[in-house]
Amino acid sequence: MSTATASPRGWQIGSLAGVPVYLGRSWVLIAAVITLLFGPVVGDIVPGSGAAAYAVAFGFAVLLLLSVLVHEAAHALVARYHGYRVRRIVADFWGGHTAYDGADSTPGRAAAVAISGPLANAALAAVGWAFVQAVPDGLPWLLLTAFTTANAFVAAFNMLPGLPLDGGFLVDSLVWKVTGSRGLGTLVAGWCGRLLVVVLAWWVVGVPVMTGGTLTVSRLLWAGLIGAFLWWGASSAIRSGRARRVFEQVTVGSVLRPAALVPEGVGVDAVRWGDSPVWLVTGPDGTPTGLVDPAALQQVPGAAAARTPVSAVARRQPAGWVVDTRLEDAVTDVVVAMQTHTTPVVAVRVPDGRVVGVVLAEDL
């Protein structure tokens, strides 16, 4: 068991195949809510359980955390299998998320990553059901039943066809496959997510009103919380889809700035700087590692130019800033790389292995 360490994302509680796993600080809140709300319910179902009812309720919160981690682990492992770089797994108030670099994704790969999470929960529900049949009535049976029901619900709920749910990513992938436009897929799946919120609101409010049912405060609060989460995620997807649709109309070549390469160990005085407006510094394997800073270059005294390597006047860039693409391709992969690696400049490498230039965020 690894020692938990604090980070802006919460506490690191372990790793999976080298991927850090975090427990978000907000999970403490949801665990407390589940314990306080579920404890009295357990007490009513099993009279005389006393404080054990709250222990069972807290155990249910821990089992839900396990379910979330298994769900996200499935996403991470399938993403790794398809060659994506997975950066982290986080379990928090909203359930959890897996952050990975899917810039070179395909509809099939995206769909495989999306469906793996709900399938993992369905498998947990099946295992839980088998144990429920073998355990006699009592607190353990109640805990297992709640665990089984929760995983079955999570699997089914996540398959609903709208972003930000996993079913929404399946819609995204399907539209992307049929139309060839990933932006349109995200846009359609985002609007499906908003439609889900409308259906949820009708089910929670409209149906009871029409049938003379009762509206409880807890029902409205939970529906409002889930609805807000879905609406926010769907709206974010719609904005992303619209932006991607715009960038799908722009080719890499139309915004490319030509660049020249220079090995990082070469002296400043050995380069004819006027030959190119942009210079990239390359490592031993020829891959660009940074961008020459003109201001830093001008500050090198003439007497020191011979013994000053170009690496000393370069701004080192993050790993992943070199994007493999074609000049006639849409600029979307370049934009995703900028967002993923938080860099305002991306080097472009064409299929024959040449790095031909850079794309700057200011040009986009």
Side-chain angles (χ1 to χ4, degrees):
M1 177 66 69
S2 63
T3 302
T5 57
S7 84
R9 302 180 185 93
W11 301 279
Q12 184 175 349
I13 58 176
S15 62
L16 175 68
V19 179
V21 180
Y22 295 94
L23 178 63
R25 292 182 176 86
S26 60
W27 182 83
V28 176
L29 174 61
I30 194 63
V33 171
I34 290 175
T35 302
L36 293 175
L37 292 181
F38 193 48
V41 175
V42 174
D44 292 339
I45 296 176
V46 185
S49 54
Y54 288 90
V56 170
F58 179 74
F60 177 55
V62 173
L63 287 177
L64 280 182
L65 171 63
L66 174 63
S67 301
V68 169
L69 292 176
V70 170
H71 179 106
E72 298 304 330
H75 285 317
L77 292 176
V78 173
R80 283 282 295 268
Y81 174 79
H82 286 293
Y84 302 147
R85 187 172 68 89
V86 183
R87 296 191 297 277
R88 62 184 176 275
I89 296 171
V90 181
D92 54 22
F93 180 82
W94 298 110
H97 65 272
T98 299
Y100 65 92
D101 183 2
D104 59 346
S105 183
T106 64
R109 293 175 183 175
V113 174
I115 201 171
S116 61
L119 288 180
N121 287 118
L124 287 178
V127 172
W129 175 255
F131 277 101
V132 165
Q133 307 309 307
V135 174
D137 291 349
L139 291 179
W141 178 88
L142 180 61
L143 186 58
L144 282 171
T145 300
F147 171 77
T148 302
T149 304
N151 273 282
F153 171 78
V154 169
F157 182 74
N158 267 283
M159 287 300 293
L160 292 176
L163 286 174
L165 301 176
D166 292 323
F169 286 102
L170 295 179
V171 173
D172 183 352
S173 299
L174 177 61
V175 176
W176 178 13
K177 178 67 174 179
V178 172
T179 66
S181 171
R182 190 174 188 179
L184 182 59
T186 304
L187 190 62
V188 171
W191 279 107
C192 287
R194 282 187 171 179
L195 179 61
L196 286 179
V197 177
V198 174
V199 173
L200 174 65
W202 171 252
W203 178 68
V204 172
V205 179
V207 172
V209 169
M210 295 293 292
T211 60
T214 303
L215 288 175
T216 63
V217 175
S218 61
R219 181 185 176 98
L220 290 174
L221 286 177
W222 280 112
L225 189 64
I226 295 173
F229 164 69
L230 292 178
W231 189 270
W232 177 84
S235 299
S236 178
I238 290 171
R239 290 193 298 271
S240 176
R242 286 172 175 167
R244 187 180 285 273
R245 289 282 285 167
V246 172
F247 286 123
E248 285 175 348
Q249 311 305 315
V250 180
T251 64
V252 174
S254 66
V255 291
L256 184 77
R257 293 194 184 191
L261 307 180
V262 55
E264 57 188 13
V266 172
V268 168
D269 67 329
V271 182
R272 296 177 55 181
W273 297 108
D275 291 349
S276 175
V278 180
W279 285 88
L280 304 182
V281 177
T282 62
D285 62 351
T287 301
T289 59
L291 194 70
V292 172
D293 185 346
L297 179 63
Q298 293 175 3
Q299 293 177 5
V300 177
R307 60 179 184 272
T308 302
V310 294
S311 59
V313 295
R315 297 194 303 269
R316 184 165 293 275
Q317 298 299 311
W321 81 298
V322 180
V323 174
D324 293 302
T325 185
R326 298 176 301 176
L327 298 185
E328 61 270 24
D329 286 347
V331 79
T332 48
D333 285 348
V334 170
V335 175
V336 170
M338 288 180 175
Q339 295 174 331
T340 301
H341 303 291
T342 318
T343 175
V345 57
V346 165
V348 173
R349 182 166 52 202
V350 292
D352 64 6
R354 292 180 300 118
V355 176
V356 295
V358 296
V359 176
L360 305 182
E362 63 188 70
D363 294 337
L364 296 176

